[in-house]
Amino acid sequence: MKRYVAIIAIAATILTSGCSKDKPSEAGAESSAAEKPIELSYSIFFPASHLQAQTAEAWAREVERRSEGRVKITMYPGGTLTKAPQCYEGVVNGISDIGMSVFAYTRGRFPLLEGLDLPLGYPDGITATRVANQMVDKYEPEELQDVHVLYLHAHGPGILASKKPVRSIGELEAMKIRATGLSAKIVSSLGAVPISMSQGETYDALQKGVVEATFCPVETLKGWKQGEVIDYVIDTTAIGYTTAMFVVMNKTKWESLPQDIRSVLTEVSEEWILKQGRAWDRSDAEGEEFVRGLEKTFIELSADQQQAFIQAMDPVLEEYVSATEAWIRFSAQCASSSSSSPCWPARRCWA
């Protein structure tokens, strides 16, 4: 727990280096009931059958209900409008008005928010979701200034699902493991080989032997049917990481909305933080039940091996500390530069 607090404190410090968030304009008069509804497109990378997509669908319908029909939201699940890695930029560029995807799918685009995904032993999805929202709400990171953040959510502790048994770190040597974003560093620290891909690509990769295992929350074994193509579930919750996900809106679209509509979106989004976190925990429970029904084998690591896994994460945590310290220095250099813009993004200076 002390390590958890220390790392989050470092992340909190670095997040303050961003520019202050612009306040939304008050432009736009209240719409009358006779006007056409405000139509919004929502790109989401989860398939429509996934509980997270269904929870997002419920969010959209609740926004429509509370706006008394003045807002209409069209869902585009399964990456049909923008693929998972392009979803965020798709929102920035107006391809979709709203988008949900994973920060880590665009590696390097959100270096500060990688701190949320550290292998700190998150106990559940609700905790991970609350931490993500509290950090972003409090510190308003510069790397999210080109969108309006509705809310974030994050899955429960990541575990290792494998085609072969693993009872010690030594058995991971040279194993090809699907991992995305920061979890790729976790894999490397364990002596395995990280292979980056989205969840939508993982089923086929496991089935064809492109990868031998995947780091994931238990829920993916049902939600993405990956339980069908693995044989073992290894309890690595001692180093339980999460993957933070965004629900963001095009900034220009947000600022064009009437104030009362923005209030509806904000209120519903605040309520959905808990709903989305609970959905993750429900998904984990259903995922475990699904895999047990397939009679797959669950492996619990010995106390000694759990400690070995924890110690193996030290380089990941130390690298993050070093990177955040470097970010502070670069941000200070950017802030003191001769750029004509008073809010010149430190991210571009870093790049």
Side-chain angles (χ1 to χ4, degrees), residues 139-193:
Y139 298 105
E140 300 181 344
E142 184 269 339
E143 59 203 40
L144 292 177
Q145 295 302 306
D146 46 8
V147 296
H148 175 77
V149 178
L150 292 167
Y151 67 98
L152 307 183
H153 57 100
H155 65 63
I159 51 83
L160 182 66
S162 175
K163 297 175 73 71
K164 63 182 184 181
V166 174
R167 293 182 172 83
S168 69
I169 286 183
E171 293 175 320
L172 291 171
E173 185 174 358
M175 182 185 288
K176 295 179 293 183
I177 301 178
R178 177 266 177 196
T180 299
L182 194 67
S183 63
K185 296 180 180 179
I186 296 173
V187 170
S188 295
S189 293
L190 293 171
V193 179

Side-chain angles (χ1 to χ4, degrees), residues 275-296:
K275 290 179 182 291
Q276 209 87 45
R278 284 176 173 167
W280 279 116
D281 291 340
R282 176 182 162 191
S283 293
D284 277 350
E286 292 179 353
E288 180 174 341
E289 182 181 3
F290 175 74
V291 178
R292 290 190 184 279
L294 295 174
E295 299 184 346
K296 307 295 183 174

Side-chain angles (χ1 to χ4, degrees), residues 74-281:
T74 302
M75 307 292 290
Y76 293 90
T80 53
L81 185 56
T82 51
K83 300 300 182 183
Q86 289 79 44
C87 184
Y88 186 91
E89 295 302 329
V91 173
V92 172
N93 296 322
I95 296 174
S96 67
D97 298 311
I98 305 167
M100 177 195 289
S101 191
V102 177
F103 288 120
Y105 282 173
T106 45
R107 188 76 180 272
R109 177 64 172 79
F110 307 97
L112 305 184
L113 293 176
E114 285 186 4
L116 291 169
D117 295 357
L118 288 169
L120 301 168
Y122 286 97
D124 50 50
I126 288 179
T127 299
T129 294
R130 283 174 170 164
V131 168
N133 282 279
Q134 288 170 4
M135 287 184 66
V136 170
D137 287 348
K138 184 173 183 178
Y139 298 105
E140 300 181 344
E142 184 269 339
E143 59 203 40
L144 292 177
Q145 295 302 306
D146 46 8
V147 296
H148 175 77
V149 178
L150 292 167
Y151 67 98
L152 307 183
H153 57 100
H155 65 63
I159 51 83
L160 182 66
S162 175
K163 297 175 73 71
K164 63 182 184 181
V166 174
R167 293 182 172 83
S168 69
I169 286 183
E171 293 175 320
L172 291 171
E173 185 174 358
M175 182 185 288
K176 295 179 293 183
I177 301 178
R178 177 266 177 196
T180 299
L182 194 67
S183 63
K185 296 180 180 179
I186 296 173
V187 170
S188 295
S189 293
L190 293 171
V193 179
I195 306 294
S196 180
M197 64 183 67
S198 69
Q199 290 291 6
E201 301 170 289
T202 304
Y203 185 102
D204 286 344
L206 285 165
Q207 187 178 50
K208 297 175 182 177
V210 175
V211 295
E212 302 164 272
T214 175
F215 260 115
C216 62
V218 175
E219 67 84 19
T220 63
L221 302 182
K222 179 183 180 182
W224 297 87
K225 306 300 183 184
Q226 294 167 15
E228 297 174 350
V229 289
I230 57 96
D231 297 299
Y232 300 90
V233 176
I234 295 88
D235 182 3
T236 56
T237 53
I239 58 168
Y241 71 94
T242 190
T243 303
M245 305 177 201
F246 58 79
V247 181
V248 297
M249 188 170 185
N250 176 273
K251 199 165 188 177
T252 301
K253 175 64 74 172
W254 169 260
E255 293 176 349
S256 73
L257 297 175
Q259 182 60 50
D260 63 330
I261 296 299
R262 278 181 274 171
S263 296
V264 167
L265 285 161
T266 298
E267 290 169 3
V268 177
S269 295
E270 288 175 351
E271 294 174 16
W272 250 249
I273 291 172
L274 183 59
K275 290 179 182 291
Q276 209 87 45
R278 284 176 173 167
W280 279 116
D281 291 340

